[in-house]
């Protein structure tokens, strides 16, 4: 292929893809709604390098514009509501709505900051209406004793459920094993991360490989600070779960290639086994989630008897994630 032919091929490839801003305009979506649609997988974006905004193929835009009811049908799928509007949709008071959200019956899909820089959780309207139709007794009836007890104890799973949804969505779009490990690492603070990954070159590589979400990246300084706080796991059980998942993903990533070091080309290392998918995170016991299923919680003490045990996870894993010394016997 000549230089001229290569240039023409590159220009044709670029013409077949449009920027996120142009795609949002052609799909008659506000930028925030467009980003949410990409995050939810409603709009297929091409994988891009870290720090680069996604690009959309022209065929994908044409497909969406040809859907029945466009553009209203697409807008309805990404329509969100805050606490006040959500309570109105369900026909309950704001305190009842907040209680349902705190227990994980309905999970937020996004958040924003109000003028007081307070986090305002946002929920998909479609999910709220589906929950009301599926669990009318929880919406209008008297709250079960177990739910009232959990609320009185201060249970609040909104941030945890948002983190879980965010990580799961990004994992579905990430095939690179180091990228998958990097996603698990984003939920751990620097101290927790250093305990699991003691190699500074690997930590630097994880930071570089962390995929940027096409959604939920506030432009303001306060928004970025809120996002940085929100993505960190803050519950002991959740922290343990992320540490275990990071360890599993990291072991598979090391088999594929090593983290780059000065004077070393990691691309020369042969590929071996594919990545082990991370373990699904548990939610509240006997509390219906936003997808209609009931799930049983798994505490840290049960982690080694679940799916992790079937993958050969035991005392050695606990040593690697820093929860047990190498010479310590299990009690």
């Amino acid at each position: 292929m000549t230089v001229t032919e290569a240039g023409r091929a590159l220009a044709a490839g670029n013409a077949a893809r449009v920027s996120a801003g142009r795609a949002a305009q052609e799909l008659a979506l506000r930028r925030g709604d467009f980003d949410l649609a990409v995050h939810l997988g409603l709009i297929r974006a091409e994988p891009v390098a870290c720090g680069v905004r996604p690009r959309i193929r022209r065929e994908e835009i044409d497909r969406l514009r040809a859907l029945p009811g466009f553009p209203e049908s697409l807008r309805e799928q990404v329509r969100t509501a805050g606490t006040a509007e959500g309570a109105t949709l369900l026909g309950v008071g704001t305190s009842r709505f907040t209680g349902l959200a705190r227990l994980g019956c309905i999970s937020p899909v996004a958040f924003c900051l109000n003028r007081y820089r307070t986090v305002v959780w946002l929920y998909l309207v479609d999910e709220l209406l589906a929950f009301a139709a599926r669990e009318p007794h929880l919406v209008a009836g008297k709250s079960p004793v177990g739910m009232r007890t959990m609320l009185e104890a201060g249970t609040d799973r909104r941030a945890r459920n948002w983190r879980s949804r965010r990580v799961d969505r990004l994992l579905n779009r990430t095939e690179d094993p180091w990228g998958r490990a990097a996603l698990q690492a984003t939920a751990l603070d620097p101290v927790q991360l250093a305990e699991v990954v003691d190699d500074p070159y690997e930590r630097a590589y994880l930071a570089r490989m962390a995929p940027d979400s096409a959604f939920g990246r506030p432009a303001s300084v306060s928004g970025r600070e809120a996002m940085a706080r929100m993505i960190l796991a803050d519950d002991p059980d959740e922290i343990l779960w992320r540490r275990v998942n990071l360890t599993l993903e990291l072991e598979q990533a090391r088999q594929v290639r090593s983290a780059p070091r000065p004077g070393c080309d990691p691309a020369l290392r042969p590929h071996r086994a594919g990545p082990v998918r991370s373990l699904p995170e548990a939610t509240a016991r006997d509390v219906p989630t936003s997808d209609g299923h009931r799930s049983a919680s798994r505490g840290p003490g049960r982690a080694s008897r679940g799916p992790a045990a079937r993958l050969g996870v035991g005392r050695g894993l606990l040593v690697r994630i820093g929860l047990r010394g190498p010479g310590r016997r299990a009690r």
Side-chain angles (χ1 to χ4, degrees), residues 201-318:
Y201 292 106
E202 288 187 339
R203 292 199 301 272
Y205 195 38
L206 289 173
R208 205 162 75 234
M209 288 297 297
D212 285 336
S213 170
F215 153 76
R217 300 176 60 217
S220 66
V221 174
S222 58
R224 290 194 297 270
E225 291 174 349
M227 175 65 77
R229 293 192 305 269
M230 206 66 68
I231 63 175
L232 295 179
D234 57 8
D235 179 81
D237 180 63
E238 182 188 8
I239 291 172
L240 173 65
W241 202 254
R242 291 304 171 194
R243 288 172 67 132
V244 170
N245 276 318
L246 172 58
T247 301
L248 294 175
E249 297 281 11
L250 193 57
E251 287 182 348
Q252 294 302 313
R254 288 165 176 160
Q255 293 182 20
V256 174
R257 65 179 182 273
S258 300
R261 298 170 184 273
C264 175
D265 185 0
L268 298 178
R269 181 168 180 171
H271 285 232
R272 299 180 187 173
V276 173
R277 298 303 183 190
S278 54
L279 307 180
E281 186 172 359
T283 53
R285 179 184 298 275
D286 294 333
V287 175
T289 59
S290 58
D291 59 2
H293 299 287
R294 296 176 183 269
S295 56
S297 62
R298 298 189 185 111
R302 301 184 185 179
S304 63
R305 296 197 294 271
R310 294 195 290 273
L311 293 173
V313 178
R315 180 173 177 273
L317 175 61
L318 296 180

Side-chain angles (χ1 to χ4, degrees), residues 145-177:
V145 176
M147 294 178 64
R148 295 199 300 269
T149 301
M150 293 170 67
L151 288 174
E152 291 171 359
T155 300
D156 191 345
R157 288 187 167 87
R158 288 175 294 183
R160 176 173 180 166
N161 286 347
W162 173 80
R163 280 190 293 271
S164 180
R165 293 185 67 161
R166 174 183 176 273
V167 171
D168 289 346
R169 291 287 184 184
L170 293 175
L171 283 173
N172 288 337
R173 301 205 303 267
T174 306
E175 293 298 330
D176 183 85

Side-chain angles (χ1 to χ4, degrees), residues 33 36-45 60 63-64 67 73-74 76-78 124 169:
D33 291 340
L36 179 55
V38 172
H39 176 69
L40 295 175
L42 300 174
I43 300 175
R44 295 191 292 264
E60 177 67 2
R63 179 188 71 85
L64 293 167
L67 292 176
S73 58
L74 184 58
E76 283 300 311
Q77 293 183 76
V78 293
L124 283 174
R169 291 287 184 184

